[in-house]
Structures are given as structure tokens and as C-alpha cells.
Amino acid sequence: MIMRASDEHWLPDGTVLRNEPLSSHTTFGIGGPADWFVRAETVRDVSAALVFAREQGVPLFILGGGSNVLFSDAGYRGVVLTLAGELARIDFDGVRVTAGAGALLPRVGLLAGKRGLSGLEFASGIPGQVGGAVVINAGTRDAWIGPLIDRIRLCNRDGEAYQMARDEAGFRYRGSDLGGEIVLGVELVLSEARPEEVRVKSQSYRRARTETQPVGTRNAGCVFKNPQPLSAGKLIDELGLKGFRVGDAMISPVHANFVINLGQATAEDVRRVMAEMKRRVRESYGVELEPEVVLVGVDAP
Ligand code: EPU
């Protein structure tokens, strides 16, 4: 289907899908159909999708790697936009890396490491794209992407590209002021190191992840932010909730801040599991857990 999105630009054949199951685009494997699913390869495609959504009078949601999101079982009544092609390019210039929002973050880290550039080792094994990682300031307990960023390229809702310096983005633990913005890409500044050092460091991050997290299962990473300085996983574990299950959604026996989809879990199953985690932690510790996973059309747990 060829979609006319504006007088100036048509989205090419194959980039627009109707009633696309979002379960195919999320690591949770959960989510009903999106009315429209657009794969944008250029800034012009992005602006065409924005114009189209406006013409249809529907909302537009930007989906990154789908690794930190829970869509409702009803799906999305609007346009879900993903970035690829030109918007997933990775270019190097000395210690500067220009990465499109659609590029896979661990791939940027891997290519950087091979060139003797250090800084992204923590991203080894994080299954997300650059854009999503920037918006949620993705990282580990002690390292995240924000400090590596020099400039961010964005696009406003009128389809016009603009730039922002790191300091304007409001980076904080697992958050920024960029929610709802369309990130097109970033310029990162890394530091020089020996490729072997970077490789070893990346490997140790990957190993730690494999040993402490349910790698290889269908999940969306940690479902709650850590109530600093505490660890949500530790609190939930201490309450004996590992293995707690609603339908096919279960608290991972490996890491208590992960909910895993055993096969046919619905968004509602996951929401109910999260509600139980939140309720028990509130009652026992007086701590209010805040979701880390982005909920789309799903009620707050
Ligand atoms: N712990 C338990 N039981 C559990 C889980 C953890 O006792 O079921 C204990 C651990 O033994 C450790 C402490 O809790 O003493 C902290 O655990 P961990 O090192 O696994 O770190 P975390 O705080 O649970 C954070 C990030 C992860 C990131 C890891 C590794 C958040 C919400 N989580 O987890 O990020 O991978 O550090 O650095 O900030 C994500 O963002 O999706 C995510 C998984």
C-alpha cells in the first residue's frame, strides 16, 4: 500500500502496515494491533508520518527496539513509528560517534570498541535502540548513556529537525525531559582505549547480565525503577515473590524486578503482576514503586 502523507512526500510501498500486531515488535511478545505501523527511513518519511497522523486525527507513538514497553491487548489506535535506514546509521569521526535513533545500542558499542573507543561497554547486551535509550537514559546501576551525549538531533511535531545540547535534555536516573519528543539521533563523545580493553570490559558487563538476569526469556527488562538508593529487585525478592504468576506472566525466579512472558501472557496479566509487586512493597516497606517500563494504553498498576 502506498500512503500519501503530504503533497510533498509519499511514504513508499511496504513502509506502512495496517493492523500490525505489536506483539511482533516487542521483546515481551505482548500487544494488540496498531492501526498503522510505519517504518521511516528518512527525516522526510518521519514528517510524512506526522502529517498523516494529523490528517487522520490520530496519535503517533515512536517505538524504539520495543524492549522497554508494554502495549495494551487492544493495541494502538493511531500510528506507531519505527526508525530504520538512514535513521539507523552509525558514523565515526575520531572519538565522535553519530548514531541514528534506529541503530541498535549494543551494535554502536561493538563497532566503537573495535575502533578502540570506550564508554558504551555497559550497553553490551541491552537490547534497545539508540533513540529509546536516550529518552529513558538507559544504562546499568552505575553507568548510563546521558553523560556520553554531546548533541541530540530531534524532530518537532511539524516535521522540522532541530538540535539540542546534552544539558538541555534533563538527564536523570532512568529519565530525561525528552519523553514524547522524536529523537532522530545523537552525537556521542567516547574516549580512546585499546580495543582489547573495551572487549574485556563489555564481556564482563555481558557476563554479569547473564548471571543475574533472565536472559533468553520474553521480558522488558526491569519493570520498576529502583527507589534510590534501594533496589526494587531486592525488595521484591525479600518478600518471596519470585515465581508469583498471573496467567502466563510470572516474576522471574532469576531477578525479581523482571516479569517474564511464559508464552501467552496478556498485558493485563503483566499489569496485575506489577500491581501485586507494588502493593506488597508499599505495605511492607512503605515504598512507592514507579514503573520503568513504558505503559501504552495500560492502566497504572
Ligand atoms: N537482588 C536480589 N534479588 C533479586 C534481584 C536483585 O537480592 O531478585 C539484589 C542483588 O543481589 C544486588 C542488588 O539486589 O545485591 C542489585 O541487583 P542488580 O545488581 O541486579 O541491580 P538492579 O538494581 O536490580 C539495575 C538496573 C538494571 C541493570 C542492572 C545491572 C534498574 C531498575 N535496574 O538493576 O537495568 O541491568 O542494574 O547494572 O535501574 C533495566 O533498566 O531494565 C535493567 C534491567
Side-chain angles (χ1 to χ4, degrees):
M1 163 191 166
I2 296 180
M3 182 167 87
R4 193 190 71 81
S6 70
D7 291 337
E8 304 83 45
H9 189 59
W10 297 55
L11 281 160
D13 202 7
T15 58
V16 183
L17 303 171
R18 286 303 310 264
N19 302 318
E20 176 66 4
L22 291 165
S23 52
S24 310
H25 299 276
T26 59
T27 54
F28 244 147
I30 294 173
D35 286 348
W36 291 275
F37 188 90
V38 178
R39 196 168 169 274
E41 299 199 349
T42 62
V43 180
R44 274 164 59 85
D45 288 350
V46 174
S47 32
L50 286 164
V51 172
F52 176 78
R54 194 176 311 139
E55 282 174 359
Q56 299 289 321
V58 296
L60 177 139
F61 181 83
I62 305 115
L63 179 65
S67 57
N68 193 48
V69 61
L70 179 63
F71 282 110
S72 79
D73 301 311
Y76 191 73
R77 302 289 75 79
V79 176
V80 172
L81 181 70
T82 59
L83 308 179
E86 217 175 84
L87 300 171
R89 275 184 63 126
I90 305 168
D91 293 298
F92 293 89
D93 179 12
V95 294
R96 263 177 195 274
V97 187
T98 307
L104 269 180
L105 186 64
R107 182 165 166 73
V108 181
L110 181 73
L111 296 179
K114 285 188 174 162
R115 287 165 184 264
L117 293 174
S118 168
L120 280 171
E121 292 87 336
F122 73 84
S124 178
I126 293 186
Q129 291 181 2
V130 167
V134 170
V135 173
I136 65 157
N137 194 11
T140 62
R141 245 187 122 68
D142 48 19
W144 37 81
I145 193 164
L148 302 171
I149 295 172
D150 182 28
R151 302 193 70 75
I152 308 163
R153 267 189 316 124
L154 302 112
C155 176
N156 67 20
R157 296 273 159 176
D158 290 322
E160 293 154 359
Y162 67 101
Q163 297 212 4
M164 188 188 274
R166 177 190 52 223
D167 294 351
E168 298 169 74
F171 287 116
R172 52 189 172 267
Y173 164 70
R174 288 297 190 277
S176 74
D177 295 339
L178 300 170
E181 303 292 323
I182 302 168
V183 175
L184 297 173
V186 281
E187 255 184 59
L188 305 167
V189 178
L190 303 181
S191 49
E192 286 176 18
R194 286 191 304 118
E196 179 59 13
E197 266 171 51
V198 181
R199 198 182 61 76
V200 170
K201 206 167 159 194
S202 304
Q203 209 171 33
S204 78
Y205 272 106
R206 208 161 40 240
R207 191 174 314 118
R209 207 177 286 282
T210 321
E211 281 166 4
T212 60
Q213 298 181 0
V215 173
T217 66
R218 307 217 75 162
N219 68 72
C222 287
V223 292
F224 290 108
K225 293 182 185 178
N226 280 340
Q228 308 277 3
L230 304 172
S231 158
K234 193 160 196 256
L235 298 180
I236 298 160
D237 190 3
E238 279 170 4
L239 291 168
L241 282 171
K242 277 179 173 170
F244 175 85
R245 182 171 167 181
V246 175
D248 261 357
M250 183 176 83
I251 299 178
S252 164
V254 178
H255 192 302
N257 197 10
F258 280 66
V259 175
I260 60 178
N261 174 6
L262 296 171
Q264 305 299 319
T266 62
E268 180 55 18
D269 293 340
V270 175
R271 195 195 65 77
R272 285 168 60 192
V273 170
M274 287 176 68
E276 182 65 7
M277 294 158 107
K278 200 169 151 67
R279 183 182 72 80
R280 294 286 305 276
V281 168
R282 184 196 304 119
E283 284 176 3
S284 302
Y285 301 101
V287 169
E288 206 57 58
L289 290 179
E290 204 190 311
E292 206 245 295
V293 62
V294 175
L295 306 171
V296 187
V298 175
D299 290 340

